[in-house]
Amino acid sequence: MTDSHTIAVTVNGVRTEKSVEPRLLLSDFIRHELMLAGTHVGCEHGVCGACTILFDGFPTRSCLMFAVQADGHEIATVEGLSKGETLHPLQQAMHDSHGLQCGYCTPGILMTMSAFLDSNPSPDEHAVREALSGNLCRCTGYQHIVDAVLLAAERMRT
Amino acid sequence: MSSRETRNFGAPIRRNEDRKLLTGKALFVDDLEIPGMLYAALLRSSVAHGELISVDVSAALAREGVVAAYTAHDLGDFWQPGPLLVPPPPIEGVIFNLRTHACLAKDKVRYVGEPLAIVIAESRYIAEDALADIAVEIEQLPAVVDLEAALKPGAALVHDDLRSNVSAHVRQKNGDYAAAAAKAAHIIKRRFAYEHGISSPMETRGVVAQWDERAGQLTVWDTTQAPVFLRNGLAAVFGLSERQVRVVAPFVGGGFGPKIMMFYPEELLVPWASTRLNRPIKWIEDRLEHFVATTHERGQIHDAQIALDAEGRILGVKDVFLHDTGAYDPYGLTVPINSQCTLLGPYVIPAYDSTFTAVFTTLPIVTPYRGAGRQHGVFVIERLLDIAAHELKIDPAEIRRRNLIPPDAFPYDNKIIYQDFAPLSYDSGNYEPILNKALDAIGYAGFKDEQKKALSEGKHLGIAIANYVEGTGIGPYEGARVQVQANGRVSVATGIGTQGQGHFTVFAQIVADQVGCLVTDVDVVTGDTDRFHWGAGTFASRGAVVAGNAVNEAALVVRQKILKLAADHFECAEEDLELGNGEVQIVGVPGRSVRLSELAMKANPMRGAVKPGTEPGLESTQYFGPPGGATASGVHAMIIEVDPELLTLEIKKYVVVHDCGTVINPLILAGQIHGGVAQGIGNAFYEKLLFDDAGQLLNASLADYLLPTSLDVPRMQLEHTVTPSPLNPLGIKGAGEAGAIPVGPLFAQAIEDALGLKAKGIELLEIPLSPGRLWQLITQAG
Ligand code: FES
Ligand code: FES
């Protein structure tokens, strides 16, 4: 009944081939086919940013794409952010600044803001808030996340 | 405690739970993958009110990949109205008409979103496809949306067997309001409307159930705030013994109240279907469903009056209000009772007469959401004082100061009954220093000049200040088990659920100090009924207070066991020993020490005689139940700039001064307050559940129902005062809701001030406000 397509995707540096239904969301593919459940879904309609991954290096909402569209592309998820036991500077700063409570929004924020820091090494608070404004967090009131991003920027510069 | 011993209690310790969450390794309900798992989807009513004629699932059953589909009629005896979660408090003359929902509607639908059928399929996609195959026939009835219209004779009845739409009627009073009003210099009467929205945690709800026929064991993973309650409830409805049911609340992505309703229909249907099909089943709510399938808090209308003497001292308050309870009232009277009680605030109110009517409507069920009705009450009293200040020409801060309960009046008995059935008594407090700190921090004294200067540059600045108290840490009890393990790590298990409050860290801090280990050496388990099977749950800002004290009691006993064993080991007195660094050492004799791991093994010997009455291990289970709730308090202050054309606003400065007793972890406390304020800002200015006359929610998506973003929530300045609670040995009070409670009146007051509305005769008597609503109010008046 369902037709399926074989797709090849490089995820966190590892190439995988899978056969998927054309309507399978990229977020579901990542979470339930690749079993990388660190990418969360908060709305599945493109507003909350929890599902953000890097698609060919750009922060992208995986709930707004189909898995088949990722064929031949590169994806990075939160699982690939740390280097072994060493946390990415933004992960470390989130820990140090208490930038997470329930942690549900956190993976999307880490992917959005780590990419932001790569292109904006010296942001001011307003720039951080602008960049963060597409990711909803219901727990923290954002202040400690903003602190974490600024702290990570400072540490990454030195 | 000697100098070598550490003091983690009170320190800004970073969280134990962070690493898992930061690396994508924390388990949330939707992360469970079990071989053979099936997926559920629910068909929900698209009509707010109607006779349910038929639900035909035959076409759905014929779809490839669909395993089962059930309606109310398929449930047989399992179909029952649900339990009452919180019975009404023992207040004289209380009327309470209990009407709870069943898991699937049978004869009638009472809100858009009420479940009609459940489909189980090989994938979530197929299950959702199959919902479109189901044929439903409903004979529509008039929706009941407006609270006042709902009580008029001839209104459509939400529950036909009741003669009206009254869910509850309660009057509580203290003193004689009529006498107070008779001698008052001023009486102010107003009508207030306050609406609170939907908690909207970033993780929606979800349930995974697995019935294991061979083991006779039902396991349910659930995004619940009260796993032990749910386990007990499930055991009862399934006719199982409690130990046959395990409920696990793993990492939960925020809750804020609504994740504690029992039972949500899916919490019964998914386990039930699992027992029928003998397969694990997963149901995950989607965001659009969440807007109607998860409970709201919504609105109240208050007709309130305040009687004052010529100096602005309160002589009495009278309040009559309507409360929207939604289609059913399984949560009893908690929300309106909180409104009724919290209205009293930190003020001396010699006469109080408060009556509410809770009203059934054909809208989703109302249960507590962070603040839990407290906002509504605080809005009324704070606005009444603002209006009084204006009319009596007293400064708004000054009129508040004049009415504060003095520090020598504690414990302060308000002589009415609170939601925990105990008399509303404030255990401790010292309110004036909080107000002073807030006024200093916001720069109250110099603001009028600043405002004038800004206005001359065309900028409209406004200032506001609001007080609140918060009853926290109510009973009945929580428990905890603390155990030193053979590898030297310490395990702690407690029954409460956790949704981001930092319990893995604050409980570890308490234990680390008692047994002398690192905070990172303490492993905390919450929310797994097989690990700890007694308790009530995480609500009413009670987790840290009640479970925290239970953890402390258990850790104290373990400490005594450690000392006794180590004293035997060294053949010395316990007083000569000190704990720290994961070991016990003889004071002043470095090198004469024994590791906790070694003592743990000694406490569980393989050979040799054990004295009668001894228990193995360095372990203890203890319980704590406070005699009453601990009352936290605080003041928020804010300066805003309003654009007089667009009526948008920018928060220039935001100050919170809070007293929640002894602080366990200031970093985590700050996070709780920041998050609460953000939700308060959403409530005050952005979030409104918009229903039409037919009971349809018009803005059921995150694109239309606006949660505050990082651009809407300002940097906050937090200050604290500390008045330890005498009701628990740690002296702590809850802090979970404080940030959210007084934000509404703060917005109303600041906007009035910025735009000079009082001088124009315009008063802001409702929440939420928004640029659009402000424009209506201002142009209507003008
Ligand atoms: S889940 Fe993709 S944006 Fe919300
Ligand atoms: S930490 Fe809970 S949603 Fe952000």
Side-chain angles (χ1 to χ4, degrees), chain B residues 54-82:
Chain B
S54 66
V55 182
D56 180 357
V57 295
S58 50
L61 282 168
R63 180 182 284 270
E64 192 183 329
V66 171
V67 176
Y70 305 108
T71 69
H73 296 283
D74 298 316
L75 298 178
D77 288 346
F78 191 74
W79 190 94
Q80 294 282 346

PDB file of all heavy atoms in Angstrom, chain B residues 54-82:
ATOM      1  N   SER B  54     -24.441   8.550  17.539  1.00  0.00           N
ATOM      2  CA  SER B  54     -23.705   7.325  17.188  1.00  0.00           C
ATOM      3  C   SER B  54     -22.256   7.625  16.840  1.00  0.00           C
ATOM      4  O   SER B  54     -21.914   8.717  16.381  1.00  0.00           O
ATOM      5  CB  SER B  54     -24.380   6.634  16.003  1.00  0.00           C
ATOM      6  OG  SER B  54     -24.268   7.460  14.866  1.00  0.00           O
ATOM      7  N   VAL B  55     -21.423   6.637  17.087  1.00  0.00           N
ATOM      8  CA  VAL B  55     -20.017   6.684  16.687  1.00  0.00           C
ATOM      9  C   VAL B  55     -19.735   5.339  16.008  1.00  0.00           C
ATOM     10  O   VAL B  55     -19.804   4.300  16.660  1.00  0.00           O
ATOM     11  CB  VAL B  55     -19.087   6.855  17.902  1.00  0.00           C
ATOM     12  CG1 VAL B  55     -17.633   6.952  17.458  1.00  0.00           C
ATOM     13  CG2 VAL B  55     -19.469   8.080  18.719  1.00  0.00           C
ATOM     14  N   ASP B  56     -19.477   5.377  14.718  1.00  0.00           N
ATOM     15  CA  ASP B  56     -19.315   4.131  13.963  1.00  0.00           C
ATOM     16  C   ASP B  56     -17.854   3.976  13.525  1.00  0.00           C
ATOM     17  O   ASP B  56     -17.363   4.737  12.696  1.00  0.00           O
ATOM     18  CB  ASP B  56     -20.248   4.168  12.749  1.00  0.00           C
ATOM     19  CG  ASP B  56     -20.143   2.897  11.908  1.00  0.00           C
ATOM     20  OD1 ASP B  56     -19.300   2.017  12.250  1.00  0.00           O
ATOM     21  OD2 ASP B  56     -20.866   2.797  10.903  1.00  0.00           O
ATOM     22  N   VAL B  57     -17.191   2.964  14.088  1.00  0.00           N
ATOM     23  CA  VAL B  57     -15.758   2.799  13.819  1.00  0.00           C
ATOM     24  C   VAL B  57     -15.492   1.697  12.789  1.00  0.00           C
ATOM     25  O   VAL B  57     -14.343   1.329  12.553  1.00  0.00           O
ATOM     26  CB  VAL B  57     -14.981   2.469  15.116  1.00  0.00           C
ATOM     27  CG1 VAL B  57     -15.031   3.628  16.087  1.00  0.00           C
ATOM     28  CG2 VAL B  57     -15.502   1.196  15.773  1.00  0.00           C
ATOM     29  N   SER B  58     -16.558   1.169  12.140  1.00  0.00           N
ATOM     30  CA  SER B  58     -16.339  -0.009  11.279  1.00  0.00           C
ATOM     31  C   SER B  58     -15.386   0.295  10.119  1.00  0.00           C
ATOM     32  O   SER B  58     -14.534  -0.537   9.783  1.00  0.00           O
ATOM     33  CB  SER B  58     -17.669  -0.576  10.790  1.00  0.00           C
ATOM     34  OG  SER B  58     -18.450   0.464  10.242  1.00  0.00           O
ATOM     35  N   ALA B  59     -15.498   1.458   9.528  1.00  0.00           N
ATOM     36  CA  ALA B  59     -14.605   1.764   8.405  1.00  0.00           C
ATOM     37  C   ALA B  59     -13.158   1.897   8.881  1.00  0.00           C
ATOM     38  O   ALA B  59     -12.215   1.497   8.182  1.00  0.00           O
ATOM     39  CB  ALA B  59     -15.048   3.047   7.721  1.00  0.00           C
ATOM     40  N   ALA B  60     -12.980   2.419  10.072  1.00  0.00           N
ATOM     41  CA  ALA B  60     -11.626   2.537  10.624  1.00  0.00           C
ATOM     42  C   ALA B  60     -11.029   1.146  10.822  1.00  0.00           C
ATOM     43  O   ALA B  60      -9.864   0.900  10.507  1.00  0.00           O
ATOM     44  CB  ALA B  60     -11.653   3.300  11.938  1.00  0.00           C
ATOM     45  N   LEU B  61     -11.848   0.235  11.330  1.00  0.00           N
ATOM     46  CA  LEU B  61     -11.360  -1.128  11.586  1.00  0.00           C
ATOM     47  C   LEU B  61     -10.943  -1.828  10.293  1.00  0.00           C
ATOM     48  O   LEU B  61     -10.079  -2.707  10.310  1.00  0.00           O
ATOM     49  CB  LEU B  61     -12.453  -1.940  12.292  1.00  0.00           C
ATOM     50  CG  LEU B  61     -12.602  -1.654  13.781  1.00  0.00           C
ATOM     51  CD1 LEU B  61     -13.888  -2.271  14.321  1.00  0.00           C
ATOM     52  CD2 LEU B  61     -11.388  -2.192  14.553  1.00  0.00           C
ATOM     53  N   ALA B  62     -11.555  -1.420   9.202  1.00  0.00           N
ATOM     54  CA  ALA B  62     -11.254  -2.075   7.927  1.00  0.00           C
ATOM     55  C   ALA B  62      -9.943  -1.585   7.312  1.00  0.00           C
ATOM     56  O   ALA B  62      -9.407  -2.187   6.392  1.00  0.00           O
ATOM     57  CB  ALA B  62     -12.404  -1.814   6.950  1.00  0.00           C
ATOM     58  N   ARG B  63      -9.440  -0.487   7.847  1.00  0.00           N
ATOM     59  CA  ARG B  63      -8.208   0.077   7.270  1.00  0.00           C
ATOM     60  C   ARG B  63      -7.007  -0.801   7.606  1.00  0.00           C
ATOM     61  O   ARG B  63      -6.849  -1.264   8.738  1.00  0.00           O
ATOM     62  CB  ARG B  63      -7.987   1.487   7.809  1.00  0.00           C
ATOM     63  CG  ARG B  63      -6.732   2.163   7.285  1.00  0.00           C
ATOM     64  CD  ARG B  63      -6.564   3.526   7.910  1.00  0.00           C
ATOM     65  NE  ARG B  63      -7.467   4.520   7.346  1.00  0.00           N
ATOM     66  CZ  ARG B  63      -7.161   5.278   6.282  1.00  0.00           C
ATOM     67  NH1 ARG B  63      -5.979   5.164   5.703  1.00  0.00           N
ATOM     68  NH2 ARG B  63      -8.025   6.152   5.827  1.00  0.00           N
ATOM     69  N   GLU B  64      -6.139  -1.008   6.613  1.00  0.00           N
ATOM     70  CA  GLU B  64      -4.947  -1.820   6.826  1.00  0.00           C
ATOM     71  C   GLU B  64      -4.053  -1.176   7.884  1.00  0.00           C
ATOM     72  O   GLU B  64      -3.800   0.024   7.843  1.00  0.00           O
ATOM     73  CB  GLU B  64      -4.170  -1.946   5.515  1.00  0.00           C
ATOM     74  CG  GLU B  64      -3.092  -3.005   5.584  1.00  0.00           C
ATOM     75  CD  GLU B  64      -2.288  -3.066   4.283  1.00  0.00           C
ATOM     76  OE1 GLU B  64      -2.844  -2.777   3.210  1.00  0.00           O
ATOM     77  OE2 GLU B  64      -1.088  -3.389   4.376  1.00  0.00           O
ATOM     78  N   GLY B  65      -3.619  -1.984   8.832  1.00  0.00           N
ATOM     79  CA  GLY B  65      -2.730  -1.465   9.869  1.00  0.00           C
ATOM     80  C   GLY B  65      -3.462  -1.070  11.136  1.00  0.00           C
ATOM     81  O   GLY B  65      -2.840  -0.820  12.162  1.00  0.00           O
ATOM     82  N   VAL B  66      -4.801  -1.007  11.071  1.00  0.00           N
ATOM     83  CA  VAL B  66      -5.573  -0.712  12.290  1.00  0.00           C
ATOM     84  C   VAL B  66      -5.805  -2.016  13.038  1.00  0.00           C
ATOM     85  O   VAL B  66      -6.233  -3.008  12.465  1.00  0.00           O
ATOM     86  CB  VAL B  66      -6.913  -0.035  11.952  1.00  0.00           C
ATOM     87  CG1 VAL B  66      -7.804   0.064  13.201  1.00  0.00           C
ATOM     88  CG2 VAL B  66      -6.661   1.356  11.382  1.00  0.00           C
ATOM     89  N   VAL B  67      -5.497  -2.015  14.313  1.00  0.00           N
ATOM     90  CA  VAL B  67      -5.607  -3.234  15.118  1.00  0.00           C
ATOM     91  C   VAL B  67      -6.917  -3.248  15.906  1.00  0.00           C
ATOM     92  O   VAL B  67      -7.531  -4.297  16.083  1.00  0.00           O
ATOM     93  CB  VAL B  67      -4.406  -3.344  16.085  1.00  0.00           C
ATOM     94  CG1 VAL B  67      -4.538  -4.555  16.995  1.00  0.00           C
ATOM     95  CG2 VAL B  67      -3.104  -3.410  15.281  1.00  0.00           C
ATOM     96  N   ALA B  68      -7.324  -2.089  16.388  1.00  0.00           N
ATOM     97  CA  ALA B  68      -8.555  -2.038  17.175  1.00  0.00           C
ATOM     98  C   ALA B  68      -9.084  -0.619  17.163  1.00  0.00           C
ATOM     99  O   ALA B  68      -8.342   0.339  16.913  1.00  0.00           O
ATOM    100  CB  ALA B  68      -8.297  -2.481  18.612  1.00  0.00           C
ATOM    101  N   ALA B  69     -10.373  -0.506  17.414  1.00  0.00           N
ATOM    102  CA  ALA B  69     -10.994   0.806  17.587  1.00  0.00           C
ATOM    103  C   ALA B  69     -12.124   0.621  18.581  1.00  0.00           C
ATOM    104  O   ALA B  69     -12.883  -0.340  18.481  1.00  0.00           O
ATOM    105  CB  ALA B  69     -11.521   1.335  16.258  1.00  0.00           C
ATOM    106  N   TYR B  70     -12.194   1.493  19.552  1.00  0.00           N
ATOM    107  CA  TYR B  70     -13.189   1.326  20.608  1.00  0.00           C
ATOM    108  C   TYR B  70     -13.988   2.606  20.817  1.00  0.00           C
ATOM    109  O   TYR B  70     -13.440   3.708  20.757  1.00  0.00           O
ATOM    110  CB  TYR B  70     -12.501   0.991  21.940  1.00  0.00           C
ATOM    111  CG  TYR B  70     -11.581  -0.213  21.896  1.00  0.00           C
ATOM    112  CD1 TYR B  70     -10.200  -0.041  21.951  1.00  0.00           C
ATOM    113  CD2 TYR B  70     -12.097  -1.508  21.828  1.00  0.00           C
ATOM    114  CE1 TYR B  70      -9.348  -1.138  21.937  1.00  0.00           C
ATOM    115  CE2 TYR B  70     -11.245  -2.611  21.811  1.00  0.00           C
ATOM    116  CZ  TYR B  70      -9.874  -2.426  21.869  1.00  0.00           C
ATOM    117  OH  TYR B  70      -9.028  -3.499  21.854  1.00  0.00           O
ATOM    118  N   THR B  71     -15.263   2.430  21.114  1.00  0.00           N
ATOM    119  CA  THR B  71     -16.105   3.543  21.559  1.00  0.00           C
ATOM    120  C   THR B  71     -16.519   3.250  22.996  1.00  0.00           C
ATOM    121  O   THR B  71     -16.201   2.191  23.543  1.00  0.00           O
ATOM    122  CB  THR B  71     -17.374   3.664  20.694  1.00  0.00           C
ATOM    123  OG1 THR B  71     -18.206   2.524  20.976  1.00  0.00           O
ATOM    124  CG2 THR B  71     -17.048   3.710  19.221  1.00  0.00           C
ATOM    125  N   ALA B  72     -17.284   4.169  23.568  1.00  0.00           N
ATOM    126  CA  ALA B  72     -17.726   3.996  24.958  1.00  0.00           C
ATOM    127  C   ALA B  72     -18.437   2.655  25.141  1.00  0.00           C
ATOM    128  O   ALA B  72     -18.285   1.991  26.163  1.00  0.00           O
ATOM    129  CB  ALA B  72     -18.640   5.145  25.361  1.00  0.00           C
ATOM    130  N   HIS B  73     -19.210   2.243  24.127  1.00  0.00           N
ATOM    131  CA  HIS B  73     -20.003   1.015  24.256  1.00  0.00           C
ATOM    132  C   HIS B  73     -19.138  -0.231  24.299  1.00  0.00           C
ATOM    133  O   HIS B  73     -19.561  -1.262  24.807  1.00  0.00           O
ATOM    134  CB  HIS B  73     -21.042   0.950  23.138  1.00  0.00           C
ATOM    135  CG  HIS B  73     -22.021   2.069  23.245  1.00  0.00           C
ATOM    136  ND1 HIS B  73     -23.049   2.077  24.173  1.00  0.00           N
ATOM    137  CD2 HIS B  73     -22.094   3.263  22.589  1.00  0.00           C
ATOM    138  CE1 HIS B  73     -23.730   3.203  24.064  1.00  0.00           C
ATOM    139  NE2 HIS B  73     -23.162   3.952  23.120  1.00  0.00           N
ATOM    140  N   ASP B  74     -17.913  -0.131  23.771  1.00  0.00           N
ATOM    141  CA  ASP B  74     -17.016  -1.293  23.803  1.00  0.00           C
ATOM    142  C   ASP B  74     -16.356  -1.473  25.168  1.00  0.00           C
ATOM    143  O   ASP B  74     -15.704  -2.480  25.418  1.00  0.00           O
ATOM    144  CB  ASP B  74     -15.908  -1.132  22.750  1.00  0.00           C
ATOM    145  CG  ASP B  74     -16.491  -1.062  21.345  1.00  0.00           C
ATOM    146  OD1 ASP B  74     -17.382  -1.874  21.044  1.00  0.00           O
ATOM    147  OD2 ASP B  74     -16.074  -0.168  20.573  1.00  0.00           O
ATOM    148  N   LEU B  75     -16.497  -0.477  26.020  1.00  0.00           N
ATOM    149  CA  LEU B  75     -15.749  -0.535  27.287  1.00  0.00           C
ATOM    150  C   LEU B  75     -16.459  -1.352  28.362  1.00  0.00           C
ATOM    151  O   LEU B  75     -15.863  -1.687  29.383  1.00  0.00           O
ATOM    152  CB  LEU B  75     -15.489   0.884  27.814  1.00  0.00           C
ATOM    153  CG  LEU B  75     -14.628   1.781  26.912  1.00  0.00           C
ATOM    154  CD1 LEU B  75     -14.500   3.166  27.533  1.00  0.00           C
ATOM    155  CD2 LEU B  75     -13.249   1.192  26.685  1.00  0.00           C
ATOM    156  N   GLY B  76     -17.726  -1.659  28.131  1.00  0.00           N
ATOM    157  CA  GLY B  76     -18.469  -2.470  29.108  1.00  0.00           C
ATOM    158  C   GLY B  76     -18.448  -1.822  30.487  1.00  0.00           C
ATOM    159  O   GLY B  76     -18.626  -0.611  30.620  1.00  0.00           O
ATOM    160  N   ASP B  77     -18.193  -2.633  31.493  1.00  0.00           N
ATOM    161  CA  ASP B  77     -18.208  -2.137  32.874  1.00  0.00           C
ATOM    162  C   ASP B  77     -17.046  -1.189  33.176  1.00  0.00           C
ATOM    163  O   ASP B  77     -17.042  -0.518  34.211  1.00  0.00           O
ATOM    164  CB  ASP B  77     -18.107  -3.312  33.868  1.00  0.00           C
ATOM    165  CG  ASP B  77     -19.400  -4.093  33.891  1.00  0.00           C
ATOM    166  OD1 ASP B  77     -20.406  -3.564  33.368  1.00  0.00           O
ATOM    167  OD2 ASP B  77     -19.390  -5.225  34.414  1.00  0.00           O
ATOM    168  N   PHE B  78     -16.057  -1.215  32.300  1.00  0.00           N
ATOM    169  CA  PHE B  78     -14.912  -0.323  32.527  1.00  0.00           C
ATOM    170  C   PHE B  78     -15.337   1.138  32.348  1.00  0.00           C
ATOM    171  O   PHE B  78     -14.677   2.049  32.855  1.00  0.00           O
ATOM    172  CB  PHE B  78     -13.787  -0.680  31.555  1.00  0.00           C
ATOM    173  CG  PHE B  78     -12.493  -0.011  31.864  1.00  0.00           C
ATOM    174  CD1 PHE B  78     -11.717  -0.426  32.948  1.00  0.00           C
ATOM    175  CD2 PHE B  78     -12.023   1.048  31.096  1.00  0.00           C
ATOM    176  CE1 PHE B  78     -10.520   0.203  33.249  1.00  0.00           C
ATOM    177  CE2 PHE B  78     -10.826   1.674  31.384  1.00  0.00           C
ATOM    178  CZ  PHE B  78     -10.078   1.248  32.466  1.00  0.00           C
ATOM    179  N   TRP B  79     -16.419   1.334  31.635  1.00  0.00           N
ATOM    180  CA  TRP B  79     -16.904   2.705  31.423  1.00  0.00           C
ATOM    181  C   TRP B  79     -17.523   3.221  32.717  1.00  0.00           C
ATOM    182  O   TRP B  79     -18.551   2.712  33.164  1.00  0.00           O
ATOM    183  CB  TRP B  79     -17.932   2.747  30.300  1.00  0.00           C
ATOM    184  CG  TRP B  79     -18.277   4.151  29.881  1.00  0.00           C
ATOM    185  CD1 TRP B  79     -17.719   4.861  28.863  1.00  0.00           C
ATOM    186  CD2 TRP B  79     -19.256   5.011  30.480  1.00  0.00           C
ATOM    187  NE1 TRP B  79     -18.278   6.119  28.795  1.00  0.00           N
ATOM    188  CE2 TRP B  79     -19.224   6.239  29.775  1.00  0.00           C
ATOM    189  CE3 TRP B  79     -20.138   4.884  31.548  1.00  0.00           C
ATOM    190  CZ2 TRP B  79     -20.036   7.320  30.098  1.00  0.00           C
ATOM    191  CZ3 TRP B  79     -20.959   5.975  31.870  1.00  0.00           C
ATOM    192  CH2 TRP B  79     -20.907   7.174  31.145  1.00  0.00           C
ATOM    193  N   GLN B  80     -16.892   4.176  33.330  1.00  0.00           N
ATOM    194  CA  GLN B  80     -17.347   4.739  34.604  1.00  0.00           C
ATOM    195  C   GLN B  80     -16.956   6.216  34.645  1.00  0.00           C
ATOM    196  O   GLN B  80     -15.885   6.556  34.181  1.00  0.00           O
ATOM    197  CB  GLN B  80     -16.603   4.089  35.789  1.00  0.00           C
ATOM    198  CG  GLN B  80     -16.859   2.626  36.017  1.00  0.00           C
ATOM    199  CD  GLN B  80     -18.186   2.376  36.692  1.00  0.00           C
ATOM    200  OE1 GLN B  80     -18.797   3.297  37.227  1.00  0.00           O
ATOM    201  NE2 GLN B  80     -18.638   1.142  36.646  1.00  0.00           N
ATOM    202  N   PRO B  81     -17.799   7.052  35.232  1.00  0.00           N
ATOM    203  CA  PRO B  81     -17.310   8.411  35.499  1.00  0.00           C
ATOM    204  C   PRO B  81     -16.089   8.334  36.422  1.00  0.00           C
ATOM    205  O   PRO B  81     -16.039   7.454  37.293  1.00  0.00           O
ATOM    206  CB  PRO B  81     -18.492   9.087  36.194  1.00  0.00           C
ATOM    207  CG  PRO B  81     -19.686   8.281  35.789  1.00  0.00           C
ATOM    208  CD  PRO B  81     -19.196   6.867  35.626  1.00  0.00           C
ATOM    209  N   GLY B  82     -15.133   9.213  36.212  1.00  0.00           N
ATOM    210  CA  GLY B  82     -13.877   9.146  36.959  1.00  0.00           C
ATOM    211  C   GLY B  82     -14.031   9.560  38.418  1.00  0.00           C
ATOM    212  O   GLY B  82     -15.109   9.974  38.851  1.00  0.00           O
TER     213      GLY B  82
END
